[in-house]
Amino acid sequence: MNPFKFGVLVDDEFFTDRINELKEVLWTLNSENHLILISPRRFGKSSLVAKAIKESGRPCISLNMQNILSVEDFASKLLRELFRIYPMERIKHLMTHFRIIPTVSTNPITNGIDVSFQPVMNSIILLEDAMALIEKVSTEEKRLVVVFDEFQEIINIRKGLDKQLRSIMQEQKQLNYILLGSQESMMTEIFERKKSPFYHFGKLMHLDKIPYEDFKEYIASRLPLNESEMLDNIVEGILSFTNLHPYYTQQLSAQVWELMSYDNLKEGVLTEAINKIVRTHDLDFERLWMNFNRTDRSIMLSLSEGANPMQNRKIATSTSFSAIKRLMKAGYVIRVNDYEIEDPFFKEWIIRNCK
């Protein structure tokens, strides 16, 4: 079985390093504090949190705020998550105090529970009741962990929802909240701006790239090659190409492993692996490129050349800043130490096709 895994939550032997970060999350779960975890997309936030919760043995409900359409939808999905981990018999009597009783049904396709509410004028009462139920099912011995992924989307669901949600959450005692976000500027605005309802709500933690030596050892121990010098060159080439991005490092390593294992390719294996992935996504990359405006393309070209896009003399500084901010929000550009193109294969495609 391919020892490299990407695109899904990773655990057990697929989990890479993150020893100190894992301890930090567990320490927070062992307190009465909440955690705010920030990093670019696909850096492994969800996998880290899932592993910590698994090791803690605590029950957990999790929502991706990008999938929430309205306050009613928020309340419905919270209840659906509760029904996923708690028997209906345990929850049913706790719902008798709901001001509006939801409709609960079994989905014959997914075999899961569907929850819906009748339309109401004041939808915030639905959320208040759902959030109150979350605290009621939690116990001191088995405190519930509530994970809200892409939490910065809270400000886009409904104006003022962040203030209303904060007023509910600050009264709850037997819960740990973990709030994840990939938009650093928006998350910082929510949790570090003094006038924000969530100002200093919990412990702020940034997830960085996996250290070079740790990643190098992880990859080298899994590739089917005994020639140490060639192995070192391949691994160093992988890490150089991906710039230590966790997701793409796993993706490229998986492709290298397949070429080695099934095609018995050693010489030139890294180049062939990169070529194969770039070819696979050629149409996707072309579609993305065609949807960029001229300024976005200029910024992406500068980044592909390793240049600082803020020093592009062809574009006004304010225009460059707005474009970078837009590209970061869309996920095409990230900033760890410097600005960089998030997907190294897209970067390679730009170098090959757009210069």
Side-chain angles (χ1 to χ4, degrees):
M1 186 173 64
N2 196 315
F4 300 100
K5 194 174 181 180
F6 60 96
V8 295
L9 292 179
V10 297
D11 198 1
D12 301 325
E13 72 272 17
F14 295 102
F15 192 81
T16 316
D17 188 68
R18 300 294 193 197
I19 297 171
N20 294 329
E21 293 93 335
L22 182 61
K23 287 180 181 178
E24 197 167 345
V25 177
L26 284 169
W27 288 338
T28 305
L29 291 178
N30 288 330
S31 71
E32 295 185 358
N33 299 314
H34 309 301
L35 178 68
I36 297 98
L37 183 57
I38 304 173
S39 81
R41 289 186 179 95
R42 297 193 272 204
F43 260 46
K45 295 186 297 294
S46 299
S47 293
L48 173 65
V49 168
K51 185 172 180 63
I53 293 170
K54 182 178 179 180
E55 291 195 9
S56 73
R58 303 259 297 280
C60 170
I61 64 172
S62 178
L63 290 183
N64 187 325
M65 303 304 287
Q66 287 183 322
N67 299 330
I68 303 299
L69 304 177
S70 63
V71 176
E72 294 91 341
D73 189 39
F74 192 4
S76 297
K77 286 178 177 174
L78 280 172
L79 292 179
R80 191 170 67 187
E81 278 289 290
L82 281 179
F83 282 121
R84 180 181 58 82
I85 61 174
Y86 294 111
M88 188 178 295
E89 291 72 23
R90 178 178 175 183
I91 298 178
K92 191 163 55 176
H93 75 280
L94 296 174
M95 298 176 66
T96 55
H97 298 294
F98 271 37
R99 285 164 284 183
I100 297 174
I101 302 298
T103 300
V104 181
S105 59
T106 302
N107 188 320
I109 299 175
T110 64
N111 205 31
I113 299 293
D114 283 342
V115 180
S116 61
F117 288 96
Q118 293 294 328
V120 293
M121 293 295 293
N122 184 11
S123 58
I124 197 63
I125 65 174
L126 308 178
L127 185 59
E128 288 174 347
D129 287 348
M131 294 287 285
L133 182 59
I134 288 174
E135 187 175 26
K136 287 178 181 178
V137 299
S138 183
T139 65
E140 185 61 34
E141 298 75 24
K142 285 283 187 178
R143 285 202 321 280
L144 182 64
V145 181
V146 182
V147 180
F148 291 150
D149 201 355
E150 299 297 348
F151 186 75
Q152 72 274 348
E153 296 299 320
I154 191 74
I155 62 177
N156 296 322
I157 298 173
R158 195 178 79 176
K159 185 177 181 180
L161 180 59
D162 55 340
K163 184 176 181 180
Q164 294 167 324
L165 186 62
R166 178 69 174 89
S167 67
I168 298 170
M169 293 165 68
Q170 69 183 2
E171 301 295 332
Q172 297 176 317
K173 304 299 182 185
Q174 295 192 148
L175 300 171
N176 285 110
Y177 282 99
I178 299 181
L179 310 177
L180 313 180
S182 61
Q183 300 295 325
E184 182 172 4
S185 60
M186 294 173 68
M187 289 290 284
T188 301
E189 178 79 5
I190 291 171
F191 295 103
E192 293 295 289
R193 185 173 62 88
K194 285 190 175 182
K195 292 185 179 180
S196 170
F198 278 92
Y199 177 66
H200 285 187
F201 175 73
K203 179 180 180 179
L204 191 62
M205 176 179 171
H206 289 264
L207 192 64
D208 294 322
K209 294 177 179 178
I210 295 170
Y212 184 91
E213 291 300 326
D214 293 336
F215 229 157
K216 182 179 178 180
E217 181 181 349
Y218 173 86
I219 299 168
S221 66
R222 286 160 172 77
L223 289 180
L225 187 64
N226 295 322
E227 302 169 44
S228 59
E229 185 175 349
M230 181 181 287
L231 179 61
D232 283 346
N233 289 336
I234 292 172
V235 174
E236 288 168 4
I238 290 172
L239 295 174
S240 174
F241 180 84
T242 64
N243 198 19
L244 297 173
H245 191 297
Y247 176 91
Y248 298 108
T249 301
Q250 292 272 12
Q251 183 183 18
L252 182 53
S253 298
Q255 186 64 67
V256 168
W257 184 91
E258 286 186 7
L259 290 172
M260 284 182 168
S261 300
Y262 300 134
D263 296 346
N264 199 29
L265 184 63
K266 294 182 175 62
E267 293 287 347
V269 65
L270 179 58
T271 300
E272 178 56 28
I274 294 170
N275 289 341
K276 190 166 185 178
I277 295 173
V278 172
R279 286 196 303 267
T280 299
H281 295 283
D282 179 71
L283 291 177
D284 294 327
F285 292 153
E286 183 177 7
R287 176 179 52 82
L288 293 177
W289 186 257
M290 295 305 294
N291 286 329
F292 287 150
N293 61 37
R294 292 184 180 275
T295 301
D296 292 345
R297 291 180 185 180
S298 182
I299 295 294
M300 296 294 280
L301 277 168
S302 294
L303 288 170
S304 71
E305 296 168 346
N308 186 339
M310 297 300 293
Q311 297 176 354
N312 190 329
R313 295 181 180 180
K314 298 179 182 178
I315 308 174
T317 302
S318 59
T319 304
S320 294
F321 181 78
S322 298
I324 291 170
K325 189 174 180 181
R326 180 172 61 251
L327 289 167
M328 289 181 70
K329 185 174 182 181
Y332 300 118
V333 174
I334 61 173
R335 185 178 186 180
V336 181
N337 296 317
D338 299 304
Y339 294 112
E340 60 186 88
I341 295 175
E342 189 261 355
D343 185 344
F345 299 104
F346 189 22
K347 175 183 175 181
E348 183 67 18
W349 184 91
I350 293 171
I351 292 171
R352 295 182 183 187
N353 294 278
C354 303
K355 286 192 173 182

